[in-house]
């Protein structure tokens, strides 16, 4: 698996999408070099008191989908709508090496984010190249960092540069 590096273009795109305040994936997010994956997370409150952004909660929610992951899907990814695992698989997709994220906070006038919960903090992360490609491996199984084409990461043990 590759170390994720911050990408400003993906971040700007995530901010532009988050500011739309619509809880659905951006259908027009690819860039000329590659397809772009996307994860969304929203937290709501009935009071205007959500405090500061909590990226740990967003990433943890995405990662926790690992509990529903079928290990047989690692070498041969198969999209399975129930249970939802595509947030987790995008986070750990081995060929993904760029990420850009943004968050927005707004008051919703619809029930799209739940009843009696008008205050929303909406998180968007874009990943490049995007993952979740049907019939492709999430990552190669084996010792961490053992098959890095460009060598291991100098910052994170077990990840590829």
């Amino acid at each position: 698996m590759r170390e994720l590096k911050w990408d400003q273009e993906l971040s700007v795109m995530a901010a532009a999408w988050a500011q739309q305040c619509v809880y659905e994936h951006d259908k027009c997010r690819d860039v000329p070099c590659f397809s772009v994956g996307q994860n969304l997370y929203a937290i709501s409150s009935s009071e205007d008191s959500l405090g500061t952004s909590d990226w740990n909660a967003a990433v943890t929610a995405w990662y926790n989908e690992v509990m529903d992951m079928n290990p047989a899907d690692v070498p041969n990814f198969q999209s399975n709508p129930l249970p939802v695992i595509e947030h987790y698989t995008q986070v750990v997709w081995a060929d993904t090496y760029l990420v850009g994220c943004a968050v927005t906070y707004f008051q919703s006038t619809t029930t799209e984010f739940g009843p009696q919960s008008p205050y929303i903090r909406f998180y968007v992360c874009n990943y490049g190249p995007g993952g979740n490609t049907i019939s492709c491996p999430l990552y190669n199984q084996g010792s961490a960092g053992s098959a890095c084409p460009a060598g291991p990461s100098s910052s994170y043990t077990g990840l590829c540069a």
Side-chain angles (χ1 to χ4, degrees), residues 5-21 26 28-31 34 36-38 55 98-104 122-128:
K5 298 192 185 259
W6 188 258
D7 184 85
Q8 190 61 29
E9 180 182 17
L10 294 177
S11 176
V12 168
M13 291 168 46
W17 188 249
Q19 291 168 6
Q20 301 300 309
C21 304
D26 179 359
C28 188
R29 64 182 181 263
D30 292 347
V31 296
F34 46 73
V36 174
Q38 188 173 69
W55 281 101
L98 297 172
V99 64
C101 302
V103 63
T104 193
F122 181 41
Y123 300 78
V124 178
C125 282
N126 288 332
Y127 302 85

Side-chain angles (χ1 to χ4, degrees), residues 54-105:
D54 186 356
W55 281 101
N56 284 336
V59 175
T60 298
W62 297 329
Y63 182 82
N64 281 344
E65 292 175 2
V66 68
M67 294 181 279
D68 294 321
M69 179 72 191
N70 180 349
D73 283 342
V74 171
N76 184 23
F77 177 73
Q78 299 299 313
S79 180
N80 185 359
L82 292 175
V84 173
I85 60 169
E86 286 86 1
H87 300 102
Y88 164 73
T89 53
Q90 178 57 79
V91 169
V92 301
W93 199 265
D95 292 332
T96 297
Y97 61 95
L98 297 172
V99 64
C101 302
V103 63
T104 193
Y105 178 71

Side-chain angles (χ1 to χ4, degrees), residues 6 21 49 51 72 88 95 109 112 116 122-123 128 131 138 142 148 156:
W6 188 258
C21 304
S49 62
Y88 164 73
D95 292 332
T109 58
E112 176 181 13
Q116 304 301 317
F122 181 41
Y123 300 78
L138 273 71
C148 298
Y156 299 99

Side-chain angles (χ1 to χ4, degrees), residues 106-112 118:
F106 62 95
Q107 185 172 2
S108 177
T109 58
T110 70
T111 59
E112 176 181 13

